[in-house]
Amino acid sequence: MIEAKGVTKSYGLGESKTDVLKGIDLRISDGDFAVILGASGSGKSTLLNCLSGLERVDGGSIEYDGLNIAELSDKALTKFRKENIGFIFQQYYLLPDMTVDKNVRMGADLAGNADYREIIKAVGLEAKAAKYPSELSGGEQQRVSVARALAKKPKVLFLDEPTLGLDVRARRDLWRHITAHRQEMTIILTTHYLEEAESLSDRIGVMNGGRLVALGSADDIVRQTGAASFEDAFLALTDEEVTA
């Protein structure tokens, strides 16, 4: 169970201070596939960074089965993330001087996973294991990111807009590889693609102006708003920025 309580996060000081998260309450059960939706600047990527321990919160708590990671020392938080968290970014963040094999092995070494080459094979990169990231297409580089994250065997996998800029085939392939491991972990995704949220998720959180303005299944959110479709519900919830 992951539970956020009253989470706040700001950037800047004085008159330039920007409140990005304004008291987020969120509960995600083990094994859930949760999606965070919102317009650009709504705070969804910052929320993901805080939930995963990449960034410290300013206020509130984030608990994993009762362990408040906001109270951990930097050393303890780093250890917690290494042992529990996987992250796939919009940008690939692969080490350019390492081959596909070695990039994926980095994740495997954290988990003592000797079968990491099976994951390389599963994502269709066995023939390119000796190549470097610069020799791969964008979709192939993102598959390396997926393989590295899965090889780590994380308890929670965070994905921050991982399909942005990918073509239809690359998007389909990425989700096929990830959902094949869906039963092994909790997954938390941010995306701009409403159809991804509807088809993949157990629960959807909609953010607007740094606040969580709806939480539930796509059908729940449609009912809550009285909209004709999920797209209409999302547009109604994010039509005006929440400032209160």
Side-chain angles (χ1 to χ4, degrees):
M1 173 74 74
I2 304 169
E3 187 169 11
K5 301 176 183 177
V7 169
T8 61
K9 180 68 179 180
S10 301
Y11 299 107
L13 298 171
E15 293 182 357
S16 64
K17 181 180 178 182
T18 301
D19 297 325
V20 180
L21 301 180
K22 304 173 183 177
I24 300 293
D25 295 317
L26 175 66
R27 182 179 295 178
I28 298 170
S29 299
D30 291 345
D32 271 358
F33 194 132
V35 178
I36 308 298
L37 292 175
S40 296
S42 62
K44 60 185 185 298
S45 290
T46 298
L47 177 59
L48 216 68
N49 289 342
C50 290
L51 290 174
S52 65
L54 283 174
E55 293 191 48
R56 293 284 192 174
V57 301
D58 293 332
S61 63
I62 296 173
E63 297 182 358
Y64 282 74
D65 295 327
L67 174 68
N68 183 5
I69 65 171
E71 296 178 344
L72 296 178
S73 67
D74 289 346
K75 182 178 180 180
L77 180 59
T78 297
K79 182 175 184 291
F80 174 85
R81 290 185 60 246
K82 285 182 177 179
E83 293 176 349
N84 296 279
I85 304 298
F87 212 119
I88 299 173
F89 298 89
Q90 179 187 137
Q91 298 299 322
Y92 313 124
Y93 292 104
L94 302 175
L95 292 176
D97 58 344
M98 286 190 175
T99 63
V100 169
D101 186 275
K102 289 182 178 178
N103 265 285
V104 177
R105 184 175 177 177
M106 285 182 60
D109 285 347
L110 293 171
N113 180 9
D115 298 327
Y116 75 95
R117 286 194 174 93
E118 291 300 313
I119 295 177
I120 293 175
K121 182 178 179 180
V123 301
L125 291 174
E126 186 177 25
K128 298 189 177 183
K131 291 189 176 294
Y132 292 88
S134 62
E135 301 175 275
L136 306 177
S137 69
E140 288 169 339
Q141 289 185 57
Q142 192 63 302
R143 275 189 274 160
V144 179
S145 297
V146 170
R148 184 171 63 184
L150 295 177
K152 187 179 177 182
K153 295 185 176 180
K155 294 179 181 177
V156 185
L157 178 62
F158 291 89
L159 304 103
D160 190 12
E161 300 184 29
T163 57
L164 192 65
L166 297 184
D167 62 33
V168 173
R169 186 178 301 278
R171 286 175 60 195
R172 184 189 64 183
D173 288 346
L174 182 143
W175 289 125
R176 177 165 55 85
H177 299 314
I178 291 174
T179 55
H181 296 267
R182 180 170 177 167
Q183 303 304 317
E184 302 168 14
M185 63 191 76
T186 300
I187 299 175
I188 305 175
L189 163 74
T190 68
T191 181
H192 281 293
Y193 297 112
L194 300 186
E195 72 276 13
E196 287 185 348
E198 282 192 272
S199 64
L200 295 168
S201 67
D202 298 307
R203 306 179 76 200
I204 299 170
V206 179
M207 292 193 67
N208 189 31
R211 300 185 187 279
L212 196 65
V213 294
L215 180 65
S217 68
D219 289 341
D220 290 337
I221 292 171
V222 170
R223 283 194 295 269
Q224 289 168 18
T225 58
S229 67
F230 181 65
E231 179 177 311
D232 289 342
F234 173 79
L235 291 173
L237 288 165
T238 58
D239 185 43
E240 296 183 2
E241 183 175 341
V242 175
T243 56

